[in-house]
PDB file of all heavy atoms in Angstrom:
ATOM      1  N   PHE A   7      -7.854  -5.318 -19.038  1.00 95.00           N
ATOM      2  CA  PHE A   7      -7.087  -5.693 -17.786  1.00 95.00           C
ATOM      3  C   PHE A   7      -8.068  -5.816 -16.743  1.00 95.00           C
ATOM      4  O   PHE A   7      -9.092  -5.145 -16.603  1.00 95.00           O
ATOM      5  CB  PHE A   7      -6.118  -4.589 -17.456  1.00 95.00           C
ATOM      6  CG  PHE A   7      -4.845  -4.600 -18.269  1.00 95.00           C
ATOM      7  CD1 PHE A   7      -4.778  -3.944 -19.482  1.00 95.00           C
ATOM      8  CD2 PHE A   7      -3.782  -5.355 -17.871  1.00 95.00           C
ATOM      9  CE1 PHE A   7      -3.638  -3.933 -20.288  1.00 95.00           C
ATOM     10  CE2 PHE A   7      -2.620  -5.393 -18.632  1.00 95.00           C
ATOM     11  CZ  PHE A   7      -2.505  -4.684 -19.827  1.00 95.00           C
ATOM     12  N   VAL A   8      -7.849  -6.744 -15.804  1.00 97.00           N
ATOM     13  CA  VAL A   8      -8.755  -6.925 -14.694  1.00 97.00           C
ATOM     14  C   VAL A   8      -7.903  -7.164 -13.415  1.00 97.00           C
ATOM     15  O   VAL A   8      -6.819  -7.677 -13.452  1.00 97.00           O
ATOM     16  CB  VAL A   8      -9.663  -8.163 -14.858  1.00 97.00           C
ATOM     17  CG1 VAL A   8      -8.880  -9.447 -14.845  1.00 97.00           C
ATOM     18  CG2 VAL A   8     -10.769  -8.198 -13.862  1.00 97.00           C
ATOM     19  N   ILE A   9      -8.423  -6.671 -12.262  1.00 98.00           N
ATOM     20  CA  ILE A   9      -7.834  -6.927 -10.946  1.00 98.00           C
ATOM     21  C   ILE A   9      -8.595  -8.168 -10.420  1.00 98.00           C
ATOM     22  O   ILE A   9      -9.832  -8.209 -10.387  1.00 98.00           O
ATOM     23  CB  ILE A   9      -8.028  -5.776 -10.001  1.00 98.00           C
ATOM     24  CG1 ILE A   9      -7.466  -4.477 -10.593  1.00 98.00           C
ATOM     25  CG2 ILE A   9      -7.389  -6.049  -8.659  1.00 98.00           C
ATOM     26  CD1 ILE A   9      -5.952  -4.418 -10.793  1.00 98.00           C
ATOM     27  N   ARG A  10      -7.766  -9.106  -9.872  1.00 98.00           N
ATOM     28  CA  ARG A  10      -8.502 -10.330  -9.357  1.00 98.00           C
ATOM     29  C   ARG A  10      -7.582 -10.835  -8.113  1.00 98.00           C
ATOM     30  O   ARG A  10      -6.532 -10.403  -7.932  1.00 98.00           O
ATOM     31  CB  ARG A  10      -8.551 -11.439 -10.411  1.00 98.00           C
ATOM     32  CG  ARG A  10      -7.176 -11.881 -10.917  1.00 98.00           C
ATOM     33  CD  ARG A  10      -7.241 -13.154 -11.735  1.00 98.00           C
ATOM     34  NE  ARG A  10      -5.995 -13.533 -12.351  1.00 98.00           N
ATOM     35  CZ  ARG A  10      -4.986 -14.100 -11.755  1.00 98.00           C
ATOM     36  NH1 ARG A  10      -4.993 -14.383 -10.446  1.00 98.00           N
ATOM     37  NH2 ARG A  10      -3.937 -14.406 -12.382  1.00 98.00           N
ATOM     38  N   ALA A  11      -8.135 -11.744  -7.410  1.00 98.00           N
ATOM     39  CA  ALA A  11      -7.424 -12.363  -6.255  1.00 98.00           C
ATOM     40  C   ALA A  11      -6.251 -13.127  -6.869  1.00 98.00           C
ATOM     41  O   ALA A  11      -6.309 -13.871  -7.877  1.00 98.00           O
ATOM     42  CB  ALA A  11      -8.321 -13.338  -5.561  1.00 98.00           C
ATOM     43  N   ALA A  12      -5.051 -13.015  -6.171  1.00 98.00           N
ATOM     44  CA  ALA A  12      -3.900 -13.774  -6.555  1.00 98.00           C
ATOM     45  C   ALA A  12      -4.028 -15.250  -6.147  1.00 98.00           C
ATOM     46  O   ALA A  12      -4.789 -15.600  -5.247  1.00 98.00           O
ATOM     47  CB  ALA A  12      -2.693 -13.190  -5.907  1.00 98.00           C
ATOM     48  N   THR A  13      -3.440 -16.132  -6.926  1.00 97.00           N
ATOM     49  CA  THR A  13      -3.408 -17.569  -6.630  1.00 97.00           C
ATOM     50  C   THR A  13      -2.000 -18.066  -6.592  1.00 97.00           C
ATOM     51  O   THR A  13      -1.034 -17.398  -7.032  1.00 97.00           O
ATOM     52  CB  THR A  13      -4.207 -18.354  -7.683  1.00 97.00           C
ATOM     53  OG1 THR A  13      -3.528 -18.416  -8.918  1.00 97.00           O
ATOM     54  CG2 THR A  13      -5.601 -17.787  -7.914  1.00 97.00           C
ATOM     55  N   ALA A  14      -1.787 -19.329  -6.225  1.00 97.00           N
ATOM     56  CA  ALA A  14      -0.455 -19.890  -6.163  1.00 97.00           C
ATOM     57  C   ALA A  14       0.173 -19.953  -7.603  1.00 97.00           C
ATOM     58  O   ALA A  14       1.410 -19.823  -7.718  1.00 97.00           O
ATOM     59  CB  ALA A  14      -0.556 -21.372  -5.633  1.00 97.00           C
ATOM     60  N   ASP A  15      -0.603 -19.969  -8.617  1.00 96.00           N
ATOM     61  CA  ASP A  15      -0.098 -20.011 -10.006  1.00 96.00           C
ATOM     62  C   ASP A  15       0.539 -18.668 -10.419  1.00 96.00           C
ATOM     63  O   ASP A  15       1.226 -18.685 -11.404  1.00 96.00           O
ATOM     64  CB  ASP A  15      -1.185 -20.372 -10.962  1.00 96.00           C
ATOM     65  CG  ASP A  15      -1.718 -21.783 -10.761  1.00 96.00           C
ATOM     66  OD1 ASP A  15      -0.989 -22.624 -10.251  1.00 96.00           O
ATOM     67  OD2 ASP A  15      -2.855 -22.095 -11.223  1.00 96.00           O
ATOM     68  N   ASP A  16       0.279 -17.663  -9.669  1.00 97.00           N
ATOM     69  CA  ASP A  16       0.890 -16.345 -10.001  1.00 97.00           C
ATOM     70  C   ASP A  16       2.322 -16.175  -9.424  1.00 97.00           C
ATOM     71  O   ASP A  16       2.874 -15.142  -9.701  1.00 97.00           O
ATOM     72  CB  ASP A  16       0.006 -15.248  -9.342  1.00 97.00           C
ATOM     73  CG  ASP A  16      -1.446 -15.200 -10.002  1.00 97.00           C
ATOM     74  OD1 ASP A  16      -1.486 -15.332 -11.232  1.00 97.00           O
ATOM     75  OD2 ASP A  16      -2.412 -15.059  -9.211  1.00 97.00           O
ATOM     76  N   LEU A  17       2.870 -17.147  -8.734  1.00 97.00           N
ATOM     77  CA  LEU A  17       4.161 -16.996  -8.104  1.00 97.00           C
ATOM     78  C   LEU A  17       5.201 -16.648  -9.166  1.00 97.00           C
ATOM     79  O   LEU A  17       6.014 -15.740  -8.924  1.00 97.00           O
ATOM     80  CB  LEU A  17       4.523 -18.257  -7.336  1.00 97.00           C
ATOM     81  CG  LEU A  17       5.883 -18.356  -6.719  1.00 97.00           C
ATOM     82  CD1 LEU A  17       6.103 -17.179  -5.721  1.00 97.00           C
ATOM     83  CD2 LEU A  17       6.195 -19.674  -6.057  1.00 97.00           C
ATOM     84  N   PRO A  18       5.333 -17.341 -10.249  1.00 96.00           N
ATOM     85  CA  PRO A  18       6.406 -16.974 -11.237  1.00 96.00           C
ATOM     86  C   PRO A  18       6.308 -15.508 -11.732  1.00 96.00           C
ATOM     87  O   PRO A  18       7.320 -14.806 -11.856  1.00 96.00           O
ATOM     88  CB  PRO A  18       6.155 -17.920 -12.372  1.00 96.00           C
ATOM     89  CG  PRO A  18       5.437 -19.105 -11.783  1.00 96.00           C
ATOM     90  CD  PRO A  18       4.529 -18.574 -10.759  1.00 96.00           C
ATOM     91  N   HIS A  19       5.085 -15.063 -11.909  1.00 95.00           N
ATOM     92  CA  HIS A  19       4.916 -13.651 -12.384  1.00 95.00           C
ATOM     93  C   HIS A  19       5.312 -12.678 -11.307  1.00 95.00           C
ATOM     94  O   HIS A  19       6.003 -11.663 -11.543  1.00 95.00           O
ATOM     95  CB  HIS A  19       3.451 -13.422 -12.727  1.00 95.00           C
ATOM     96  CG  HIS A  19       2.949 -14.231 -13.911  1.00 95.00           C
ATOM     97  ND1 HIS A  19       3.250 -13.886 -15.198  1.00 95.00           N
ATOM     98  CD2 HIS A  19       2.131 -15.259 -13.943  1.00 95.00           C
ATOM     99  CE1 HIS A  19       2.662 -14.772 -15.972  1.00 95.00           C
ATOM    100  NE2 HIS A  19       1.916 -15.629 -15.312  1.00 95.00           N
TER     101      HIS A  19
END
Side-chain angles (χ1 to χ4, degrees):
F7 285 89
V8 69
I9 307 291
R10 61 164 175 81
T13 70
D15 293 339
D16 296 317
L17 177 61
H19 296 285

